[in-house]
Amino acid sequence: MTPPSPRRGPRRAAACSAALLVPMGVVGPAGGTSSADLVLPLVAVVTAVAVAAYALVRRRLRATMRTTPGGRMPTVVPLDELDQRTRHSLVETDDCVRTSREELGYATAQCGEEAVRVPAEAVEFAAAELAAAFRTRHRLDDGAGPARALLEEIVARCGVAGRCLDEEAAGFDRARALERTAREALGYAEARFRGLAGRVAEADGLLAGLRERYALSAYLPVAGHDERAKDRLVFATVCLNGAHRALDRGETENAVARLRAAEAAVDQAAVLVDGIARLATDLATATEKLPTALTDTVRDLAEARELLRTESTRADLRGRIAYGESTVEAIRREPAGKGAGEGGSRCDPVGALRQIEQVSAGLDRALRRTPGGSRALARLDRALLTARSTVTAAADHVTTHRGAVGAEARTRLAEAELRLAEAENTDRPPVPAPSAALADAREADTLGRQARQLAERDVRAYGTPYGEGLETGGAVLGGILLGARPRQGAGGPASYGGPGTRGRRNAGELFRAARPPSAQEPPRTGSAAPPPDP
């Protein structure tokens, strides 16, 4: 039924009035009735009918358009409010997927893949929906498509992903059965902890070697990883010891909550330690590839100088050549991973490969050429090395600081990972041409660096999340503990699940400060004392 239009009300009232005039007629003097005697009653009747008709139309319109039991008209969410909602949904859903994958790893080791097959499929489905939501957000940031439709799509996809994880949370708990197998799971977590503790000392020495051999820009992505890893392991130690004591007292719920926090902390410590080792490998590989890259670039520059004599070259070719020659000369002056060179300078081999690819891409544009053949494949190999190093370092930073990182950095990271995957695709059709893969690799590298910068900005704005009487600052910053605010303590650990279930192991005030900071007291700095045993 088509909703009636309010404008039809007056027309219906007029029609009713005309119908009344016909039977009432104006009786002449022969009937003994004067027309003047009927004017006032007629006006009253017409007015009453018009008001009644209009009221009837309004009631029918409200009934037709009613969307709630109270009969309220549908509310249109303001665009800026919808935008904020999407940002929150992206961050929350991303955290849910990351945490679910982390605990799924422990459950797989404990129970086997088949026991957690359905929860694992739910995680992959949620991750796919989240990736599509991030892709939509990136399109929105680029100004592609109507804003409201894209924002509503993001909210819808995040909602589907979150509900999928929420629906599987109970089944996951039954499969893992932590309340029944807490001591076994605690033993596995302690074994991982001990293995990782030995690697932290090795990472210290490895990072010190990177500082000696390379420029600050080369090892900056992992600067401080060793200290952050130690911070997570200190927190894990407190949680593991507390879990043992809680089990001895028969407090299974508290023990499981502490165990989950320890597992997440050990996972993040592993990410930090692995990041140091991976960057050391990347820098060594880049150092080996750098001489060949310089030789290829010098040859390209020589060929470009020969083309300066032709009229078909672009006007900016001369400038591209000059930039390339100065870049090559600057890289050659820096020792490739052999300590300080002239004036105390050190090399950044990954950064040098990035600069060389920028020179080559500039020559491509100036010469209107499409790279191909063996040279293009060699360039692609180097560009992929640079992009992988950048994107994985950004991903590690977001993972270990996700309690503070917002939607913008995560969106850039998701797009960088997508571009990198497309550039690396060599077996699934359609396989990209070398020129297309090169473009994707360069874009992944750029987006990865942007993601890292935005994440660092968010962490600086978040502040230092150390509450009084707690050693949970790193756990709060890493999103291991939920419901946290700077200097206000932290809630329980995150678990497998969506927004409605991931905080189910809160265990009351387990991770909160014993005494909240006084408003009159100045904020304290430095390390705080460990939390009291509940």
Side-chain angles (χ1 to χ4, degrees):
M1 178 180 177
T2 303
S5 171
R7 294 182 180 178
R8 295 169 62 183
R11 289 200 296 270
R12 287 187 176 181
C16 292
S17 301
L20 284 170
L21 285 172
V22 173
M24 290 178 66
V26 178
V27 182
T33 303
S34 168
S35 61
D37 296 335
L38 296 175
V39 171
L40 291 178
L42 182 60
V43 170
V45 171
V46 169
T47 303
V49 170
V51 170
Y54 183 70
L56 176 63
V57 170
R58 289 294 301 273
R59 284 196 298 271
R60 288 181 177 175
L61 179 63
R62 285 197 298 269
T64 304
M65 298 298 290
R66 183 176 295 160
T67 58
T68 65
R72 294 188 296 272
M73 297 291 287
T75 303
V76 177
V77 179
L79 207 58
D80 57 347
E81 181 181 335
L82 187 58
D83 180 66
Q84 288 301 317
R85 187 180 299 177
T86 63
R87 293 173 184 271
H88 172 77
S89 296
L90 285 169
V91 170
E92 186 175 51
T93 308
D94 190 39
D95 283 349
C96 291
V97 170
R98 290 175 185 274
T99 301
S100 296
R101 275 181 170 159
E102 289 170 358
E103 188 174 4
L104 189 63
Y106 281 95
T108 302
Q110 179 183 348
C111 311
E113 291 185 2
E114 185 57 30
V116 291
R117 179 179 54 82
V118 175
E121 291 173 352
V123 171
E124 294 312 308
F125 174 81
E129 286 294 308
L130 176 64
F134 273 126
R135 184 70 176 137
T136 303
R137 180 73 214 192
H138 187 73
R139 288 172 52 209
L140 176 66
D141 293 342
D142 284 348
R148 182 172 295 278
L150 295 178
L151 290 171
E152 289 173 348
E153 179 185 343
I154 294 169
V155 172
R157 286 189 179 277
C158 289
V160 169
R163 287 192 295 274
C164 176
L165 293 174
D166 281 332
E167 289 169 2
E168 292 301 328
F172 177 83
D173 286 347
R174 285 193 298 272
R176 196 174 185 201
L178 274 181
E179 284 72 14
R180 180 170 49 82
T181 62
R183 288 197 182 276
E184 177 186 345
L186 189 57
Y188 178 74
E190 288 177 327
R192 282 205 69 197
F193 173 89
R194 287 191 294 270
L196 194 58
R199 292 182 58 205
V200 169
E202 297 174 3
D204 274 340
L206 190 57
L207 187 54
L210 297 181
R211 294 190 186 101
E212 288 294 323
R213 299 182 63 190
Y214 299 106
L216 173 62
S217 60
Y219 65 83
L220 190 60
V222 298
H225 271 29
D226 52 344
E227 295 303 321
R228 295 187 191 102
K230 293 174 186 175
D231 177 89
R232 301 299 194 275
L233 290 182
V234 167
F235 175 74
T237 300
V238 173
C239 291
L240 291 171
N241 290 338
H244 272 294
R245 290 193 292 270
L247 282 177
D248 292 342
R249 294 194 297 264
E251 299 172 358
T252 306
E253 182 184 3
N254 283 358
V256 169
R258 286 186 176 276
L259 171 61
R260 267 301 303 134
E263 288 175 343
V266 170
D267 255 6
Q268 291 198 8
V271 168
L272 293 163
V273 171
D274 290 343
I276 297 174
R278 186 178 58 247
L279 182 62
T281 301
D282 290 345
L283 290 172
T285 305
T287 300
E288 295 174 0
K289 294 180 180 295
L290 190 54
T292 303
L294 285 170
T295 300
D296 291 346
T297 305
V298 169
R299 184 168 56 247
D300 285 347
L301 290 169
E303 293 175 0
R305 278 194 301 272
E306 290 296 321
L307 293 173
L308 281 175
R309 301 172 189 157
T310 67
E311 296 180 359
S312 61
T313 57
R314 286 181 50 173
D316 63 343
L317 179 58
R318 190 178 300 277
R320 298 282 186 183
I321 293 172
Y323 171 74
E325 290 174 340
S326 64
T327 299
V328 169
E329 183 61 27
I331 293 173
R332 280 176 167 171
R333 284 198 302 266
E334 296 172 347
K338 298 178 182 178
E342 297 178 12
S345 63
R346 292 182 174 88
C347 180
D348 175 1
V350 172
L353 290 181
R354 178 183 296 118
Q355 289 178 298
I356 288 172
E357 176 55 31
Q358 289 171 349
V359 170
S360 298
L363 291 176
D364 290 341
R365 288 190 292 271
L367 296 171
R368 300 182 179 90
R369 70 182 181 187
T370 300
S374 59
R375 286 192 191 181
L377 293 176
R379 282 174 57 185
L380 177 59
D381 180 59
R382 296 191 291 263
L384 286 174
L385 170 64
T386 302
R388 286 191 202 103
S389 183
T390 301
V391 174
T392 52
D396 289 350
H397 192 76
V398 171
T399 295
T400 56
H401 296 79
R402 62 178 179 261
V405 176
E408 194 174 0
R410 299 179 195 232
T411 301
R412 292 288 195 284
L413 175 61
E415 186 67 16
E417 291 173 333
L418 175 63
R419 293 298 185 91
L420 180 59
E422 291 175 350
E424 291 177 321
N425 177 30
T426 57
D427 11 79
R428 299 183 313 275
V431 176
S435 58
L438 260 174
D440 282 332
R442 287 195 299 266
E443 185 66 13
D445 179 59
T446 300
L447 290 166
R449 285 185 289 154
Q450 291 175 357
R452 177 65 183 257
Q453 291 166 359
L454 291 167
E456 290 173 344
R457 179 202 65 184
D458 291 342
V459 172
R460 288 193 298 270
Y462 188 83
T464 304
Y466 285 87
E468 184 168 327
L470 292 172
E471 279 188 347
T472 57
V476 170
L477 201 59
I480 296 170
L481 300 180
L482 300 173
R485 292 293 182 272
R487 305 189 183 284
Q488 292 180 7
S495 299
Y496 177 105
T501 56
R502 66 193 299 254
R504 61 190 178 277
R505 301 193 186 282
N506 193 4
E509 300 291 309
L510 186 62
F511 292 99
R512 294 192 180 276
R515 179 174 60 89
S518 171
Q520 287 74 33
E521 290 180 342
R524 299 185 180 183
T525 58
S527 300
D533 183 45

